[in-house]
Amino acid sequence: MMTSMMAWLGLGLLLLVGLGVVFTGVPAAVVLLATACLGAAIGALSSDVPVQLIGVLPERLIGLLENDLLQAIPLYVLMGALINRLPLADALYRSCLAILPRGPAAPVVSGIALGALLGPMNGSVGASVLALSRVVEPRLAASGISLPRRAAIVTVASTLGVVVPPSLVLILLGDAMLNAHTIAVTATGREDRVINTQDVFHGALAPAGLYLAACLVIGWWCNRKTKPDDKAAPGTAAARPTFAQAVLAAVAVSAILILLGGVATGYFYAVEAAAMGGFTLLVAGIGSGRLPLPVLNAVLRDVLALTGALFFLLVAATTFTLVLRILGTDALVAGWIAAIPGGTISATLIVLAGIGLSALVLDAFEIIFVVVPIVIPPLLIRVEDARWVAVLVLLALQASFLNPLIGYAVMMTRTVLKQPIPFPALLRSLLPYLFAQAALLLAVLLMPQLTHVGESAADRSRKPPAISDRDLEKRFEQMLPPSEPPPLDIAPGR
């Protein structure tokens, strides 16, 4: 009875985290650590809770931080910071606008395309909002597009990088799905090949392409009859790119497509792509004189501060989830998910709804670090298609950014534009994109094959790769130390 009460205490701690994040203004990592300490202290008062298991926390954190995939976090943060300092976004926007047929909707299409191109390199939705607000929003205003529509376009375009690989959200979700799938395979004894980040990349390609195409069509259709604003401020009208900007845009697009294509096809890993992108931007900034030493120092300080905040959040979330496991909350949630009536679709839909409710108080990173480790392992015990589940969670996370009430992208855009935007008008402008996103989520839910487009036969089997006896023998030989040759027996006098 006491153990059951402790499990319910963990759910109360989750609710307390949400309330603390919303109403205190304290960083989420601090709230998570404080709540974890409270839960551990309450559990220590009960003899039924093995609080001594908290001693495994140091080893758990060391194992977590030894993950090579986490190297991508500072690299993507660096790319986002460099993009904000370099004139790359302006060159891409002007070049895209010059290619499109002239019309009132051309700036909208260019802005959405820019969000899809720079979103994965920015590394975060916040960085995309800043870049698009600085480059695209003044041009949209000059084209006569109303403020609510401008805010909606910037908001939607800034979230495209979430689903286009290799985004930072996608990388972190891929690592969380790998851990969750490992737990599910161990619990069930299935011979599944454990999902990895590359599988999530491939699974997201087709849904991301469909949503990008829908956004481009919606942006063109809703703004095709907009009249230019004669009262726009001078200098905000879209000018044709200079020769240098056109060359920069061509090189940048080629590099982006090579990196994205390499990651999507498996030639590059996410960390390698992030390292190449960061190095290229750094060399370009130094070579062009855009990054003098004071500016470079400021960029690196920003990168270290944001990277430290993300790692602090990761450590705090790991501590909190360990306390929840000690209290038995994960077993309680697993029992609920196992008892959901119906098949795989009903169970998946209810879990996605729970993630959506979490998005009302937590952002995508907090959901990946806190909620996914609790609800996804028991779901994967029931649902064998881990790739499909991963893409659905990714789409749900993207939808959380566009939540009209407190979505991170919506709130960030309203803050950056620094203009009062009536909520009803903003909601009307967002509705077509929200309907498209809901339709895509429903399509992927009902048609899992959308996440398996281009999947190889080996991956489709879901079985771990077989190792022949000869290959196994070679691996053992490589692990053994080299044997020394016997000494030569040389007779005296020879």
Side-chain angles (χ1 to χ4, degrees):
M1 181 65 178
M2 180 63 69
T3 303
S4 177
M5 290 178 60
M6 290 295 104
W8 280 93
L9 171 65
L11 293 178
L13 294 177
L14 277 172
L15 179 60
L16 186 61
V17 167
L19 295 176
V21 170
V22 173
F23 293 106
T24 65
V26 177
V30 177
V31 174
L32 285 168
L33 278 180
T35 311
C37 292
L38 175 63
I42 297 176
L45 299 177
S46 170
S47 58
D48 295 337
V49 178
V51 184
Q52 62 271 17
L53 290 179
I54 201 73
V56 306
L57 180 61
E59 296 180 4
R60 186 182 177 99
L61 294 178
I62 291 174
L64 172 71
L65 297 178
E66 285 181 346
N67 187 351
D68 293 339
L69 193 62
L70 295 183
Q71 298 174 19
I73 293 179
L75 293 172
Y76 274 100
V77 174
L78 175 63
M79 283 196 294
L82 291 175
I83 286 173
N84 287 331
R85 297 282 183 172
L86 299 177
L88 180 60
D90 187 51
L92 287 173
Y93 177 81
R94 292 190 181 193
S95 300
C96 182
L97 200 60
I99 296 173
L100 294 173
R102 290 189 175 274
V108 176
V109 176
S110 298
I112 295 175
L114 182 64
L117 283 173
L118 295 185
M121 297 179 63
N122 274 326
S124 67
V125 172
S128 295
V129 170
L130 291 173
L132 295 174
S133 298
R134 185 182 68 251
V135 175
V136 177
E137 194 273 337
R139 271 90 177 180
L140 296 179
S143 300
I145 297 175
S146 64
L147 178 60
R149 287 189 179 184
R150 299 200 303 269
I153 293 165
V154 170
T155 300
V156 173
S158 66
T159 64
L160 292 174
V162 175
V163 294
V164 176
S167 69
L168 184 57
V169 172
L170 199 152
I171 289 173
L172 295 176
L173 177 63
D175 184 61
M177 290 298 302
L178 183 149
N179 295 329
H181 196 202
T182 302
I183 294 173
V185 169
T186 304
T188 59
R190 295 195 305 255
E191 294 186 355
D192 288 7
R193 182 184 64 84
V194 176
I195 194 174
N196 55 37
T197 304
Q198 208 72 21
D199 294 321
V200 183
F201 284 175
H202 294 165
L205 280 177
L210 291 174
Y211 186 64
L212 175 59
C215 289
L216 292 173
V217 171
I218 292 171
W220 171 79
W221 180 263
C222 294
N223 300 280
R224 70 191 188 283
K225 295 182 179 180
T226 304
K227 296 181 180 180
D229 190 359
D230 296 332
K231 299 180 180 179
T236 57
R240 297 188 65 83
T242 63
F243 177 76
Q245 287 178 326
V247 172
L248 176 62
V251 173
V253 170
S254 300
I256 291 172
L257 292 179
I258 289 173
L259 288 178
L260 297 185
V263 171
T265 55
Y267 286 103
F268 304 140
Y269 290 107
V271 177
E272 295 172 342
M276 287 187 288
F279 178 77
T280 302
L281 288 173
L282 186 62
V283 171
I286 295 175
S288 63
R290 296 273 183 171
L291 286 177
L293 188 58
V295 176
L296 182 59
N297 286 336
V299 169
L300 295 180
R301 280 197 299 269
D302 294 341
V303 171
L304 287 175
L306 185 53
T307 302
L310 287 175
F311 275 102
F312 184 26
L313 177 62
L314 180 58
V315 169
T318 302
T319 305
F320 182 74
T321 53
L322 176 61
V323 171
L324 293 185
R325 294 184 187 280
I326 292 174
L327 295 176
T329 305
D330 60 329
L332 178 65
V333 173
W336 289 351
I337 294 177
I340 295 175
T344 59
I345 291 182
S346 61
T348 305
L349 190 59
I350 290 176
V351 171
L352 290 178
I355 293 176
L357 291 176
S358 302
L360 295 176
V361 293
L362 303 176
D363 67 13
F365 296 119
E366 293 158 6
I367 291 173
I368 291 174
F369 295 152
V370 178
V371 179
V372 168
I374 299 298
V375 302
I376 296 302
L379 177 64
L380 293 181
I381 291 176
R382 288 192 58 173
V383 182
E384 296 182 354
D385 194 345
R387 185 167 174 166
W388 174 60
V389 172
V391 175
L392 285 172
V393 173
L394 181 67
L395 294 176
L397 289 175
Q398 186 200 18
S400 71
F401 284 119
L402 289 176
N403 186 309
L405 295 175
I406 55 173
Y408 178 72
V410 178
M411 301 294 290
M412 185 75 178
T413 301
R414 300 184 72 171
T415 302
V416 171
L417 293 185
K418 297 179 181 179
Q419 302 179 56
I421 306 174
F423 179 76
L426 178 61
L427 179 60
R428 286 194 300 270
S429 301
L430 280 173
L431 273 180
Y433 303 98
L434 295 176
F435 282 141
Q437 191 174 54
L440 175 64
L441 190 58
L442 181 61
V444 174
L445 183 68
L446 298 179
M447 294 182 290
Q449 57 268 28
L450 286 175
T451 64
H452 296 276
V453 175
E455 188 178 20
S456 64
D459 293 341
R460 195 178 300 112
S461 68
R462 299 202 339 268
K463 291 184 178 181
I467 301 177
S468 64
D469 294 339
R470 184 174 180 83
D471 291 337
L472 190 60
E473 184 178 349
K474 286 183 178 180
R475 293 191 181 185
F476 278 121
E477 291 176 356
Q478 293 173 354
M479 296 171 60
L480 294 175
S483 59
E484 298 181 358
L488 297 176
D489 187 11
I490 302 176
R494 292 188 178 180

